[in-house]
Amino acid sequence: MRDEDVLAAVRALAPVLRRRAAETEELRRLPAASVAELAGTGFFRLLAPRRHGGLAADPAVFYAAVHELARACGSTGWTAAALGVHAWYAAQFDARAQDELRDAAEPGTDPALICSSHAPTGTVTAVDGGFRLSGRWHFSAGCDHASWALLGGVVTGPDGEPVDMRTFLVPRADYRVDDVWDTVGLRGTGSNDVVVDDAFVPAHRTLGYGPVTALRCPGHEVNPEPVFRLPYAAVFTTAVSTALVGIAEGAHDHHVTAARGPAGTPHGRRIAEDPFAQARIARAASEIDAARLQLARNMTDLYAVARAGGTPDAALRARARRDQALATERAVTAVDLLLGDAGGGPLRSAGDVLGRAWRDLRTGRGQAANDVERALVLAGRTALGLDVRDPML
């Protein structure tokens, strides 16, 4: 299977996912059929290593696929982005952990699906050979469909002071999913809580934030493909924003199609006869284009550095974070503009495409990666040559 075959299959699946959007929202997680059909396109192989049957694809293909999925169904795009990125993140782990993932999967199937919750909300205790892990982790998109979880945790020293932050790879047998996800937006992502009760995690199934930030992960020894030399912060945050920009574009497409008909503005005029409504449509399209183009440029530049065997400098990494956070802001702005034409109608109906996009974007805006001010401060400090220490850079 080639990268372009996966993208073509995702585009062919998109109309099915669009028709299923209301069902997905009502179910509060992706339907099993959607997950199976996504797997059938090869989507989950895009960022998986070749030695385990993955495609280790150009990241541009992965983000294009996420965009198409989110245009069709915001919850599906968001969840697919998360699960797809985790295949990439697992490739950074020790080879023994990667082999366990492969061996646990059914022969001939896609890579094991992995959910995550990186906020270090649990308790970690160092023991002989590894760690013991307990606690509750929130907002784990797609966890109902995953067989493993990536969970963040802080390792403390003898005096109780933090000495390390690590990610722990935990199999489904060692955690349970608590169904608590009942939100205004992104309702279909199934971002429930993951609960662990005193599970042992061997050291090889953990990964420190230091090596991840420095781009010196143990998985590099067995996965030579350049896609795995990208900064985690850029890969993950770009996935989040790409999904949100896709949601905005899907809303714009729907709104423009409706506007070509008898749709009216809150002022009682047909949109096709209202120059102010037309201006808002144009401005919204420009916000979406600017967001998508900057996201694509930054990932293209980062991938070029990785293909050349180099390490991206701080300026490029900071630019990627800056533009990623602003891409989310632009997506929100675009749909706000469209609502200026539509009035309150979309917010009265749970099944309205524009109303759902507005709710999805407002919910997705709350993801930690979308802290615009923080991203701008990081970029500003980097531009001024000031010290910057942040795991999201």
Side-chain angles (χ1 to χ4, degrees), residues 280-294:
R280 284 189 285 268
I281 286 172
R283 283 186 58 201
S286 182
E287 295 287 354
I288 293 166
D289 283 351
R292 191 174 185 186
L293 290 169
Q294 282 190 309

Side-chain angles (χ1 to χ4, degrees), residues 79 82-91 101 111-116 140-143 145-151 169-170 175:
T79 306
L83 296 175
V85 161
H86 298 151
W88 178 94
Y89 196 59
L101 287 169
L113 297 184
I114 309 168
C115 62
S116 78
S140 185
C143 57
H145 303 288
S147 53
W148 294 78
L150 291 162
L151 305 174
L169 180 60
V170 182
Y175 67 85

